Amino acid sequence: ALLNYLGGRHYVRADWTAARVYAVADKTRRVLAGLRQRVEVTVLMAPSAPTADSVYPETRELLRQLARWSPQLHTRFVDVDADPAAAALLAQRLGVPAVELREGVVVVACAGRSRYLPARALAERRSEAGGRAITAFRGEPELLAALLAVTQARPVTVCFTTGHGEAPIDSYAPAGYGELADELRRDALQPRAIGGAELLGGAVGCNVLLLGGPTRSVAGPELAALDRYLTRGGRLL
């Protein structure tokens, strides 16, 4: 009885699973702890009769975990099957295309800015004889990217230099930067490739400049441009 009383007064939750299924990543916790504005998360899905590829249970559990780390995060669930007319009106107000309501969406909004995530973007699936099945739930990184997108004052731009034999930003080859660019986008950063003229012009608009594995030497004028970029407070990797 005493343990039950103390458990009710001092709620503590631990994840003892080997894969940390019910744990929130440190990066996500830091972002949530730093929220200074109210963030509304609206889930437009049908909880009844979930199919094998439904992400409703995982999404609900994830949002319950996230809400524990910030009082600024407010969530609400709207059953699109129970009241389709009200769900359609709400989707229109939130800027969600009506066609997306079929599978469901999650809308993250803050201070007049919003971003919606289709249910299909929250998980990886594979086709089976009876339909589709979830192979991996990606709700946390997708929601984190949406949180950063609607709460950051302005996006951070990461510029990838070109013209010196660097790997392309859209290449998914072993030496390419396609996967890195995708990770940056998921963190609400904007990757962009810039050529020699933009580099000589001072890399305007670049918060971070990535000179990634050049196979040819960087010419003198470009080195001078890099020096000016750093003198102005730019960041070079």
Side-chain angles (χ1 to χ4, degrees):
L2 180 59
L3 288 175
N4 281 323
Y5 172 76
L6 292 175
R9 290 290 301 273
H10 307 282
Y11 176 77
V12 176
R13 179 174 180 171
D15 181 10
W16 290 356
T17 58
R20 306 291 291 169
V21 176
Y22 300 104
V24 177
D26 292 341
K27 182 177 182 179
T28 304
R29 291 201 297 265
R30 289 195 297 269
V31 171
L32 291 170
L35 291 178
R36 297 295 178 264
Q37 300 181 77
R38 181 185 176 95
V39 177
E40 297 277 356
V41 181
T42 304
V43 180
L44 294 161
M45 290 185 189
S48 58
T51 59
D53 65 337
S54 172
V55 295
Y56 183 86
E58 291 84 357
T59 302
R60 188 178 186 87
E61 175 61 27
L62 173 61
L63 289 172
R64 285 179 61 188
Q65 295 179 45
L66 299 184
R68 293 174 49 228
W69 295 100
S70 175
Q72 299 288 1
L73 190 68
H74 301 266
T75 62
R76 61 172 169 168
F77 291 80
V78 179
D79 188 341
V80 296
D81 283 348
D83 195 347
L89 286 174
L90 182 59
Q92 183 179 10
R93 183 171 65 84
L94 294 173
V96 177
V99 67
E100 297 289 3
L101 287 178
R102 296 174 184 174
E103 293 190 14
V105 293
V106 178
V107 184
V108 183
C110 176
R113 290 186 291 176
S114 65
R115 181 173 177 179
Y116 76 88
L117 304 170
R120 62 178 177 273
L122 300 179
E124 298 175 6
R125 298 172 172 84
R126 69 167 182 266
S127 298
E128 294 184 343
R132 296 181 302 173
I134 295 175
T135 57
F137 182 62
R138 296 196 47 82
E140 183 175 342
E142 294 295 336
L143 277 169
L144 177 61
L147 275 172
L148 291 169
V150 300
T151 57
Q152 285 184 340
R154 58 179 181 143
V156 174
T157 301
V158 181
C159 295
F160 291 68
T161 63
T162 60
H164 317 96
E166 301 93 332
I169 190 176
D170 56 354
S171 171
Y172 291 90
Y177 289 119
E179 292 185 5
L180 174 59
D182 288 344
E183 289 292 337
L184 293 174
R185 293 186 186 96
R186 279 192 279 269
D187 286 345
L189 308 178
Q190 290 187 347
R192 178 164 66 92
I194 65 170
E198 288 184 277
L199 180 59
L200 290 172
V204 177
C206 298
N207 301 102
V208 181
L209 192 61
L210 175 61
L211 182 63
T215 58
R216 295 191 296 273
S217 61
V218 181
E222 291 179 320
L223 287 175
L226 288 175
D227 185 63
R228 292 194 300 272
Y229 171 77
L230 292 173
T231 301
R232 296 199 316 270
R235 297 173 174 87
L236 176 66
L237 177 61

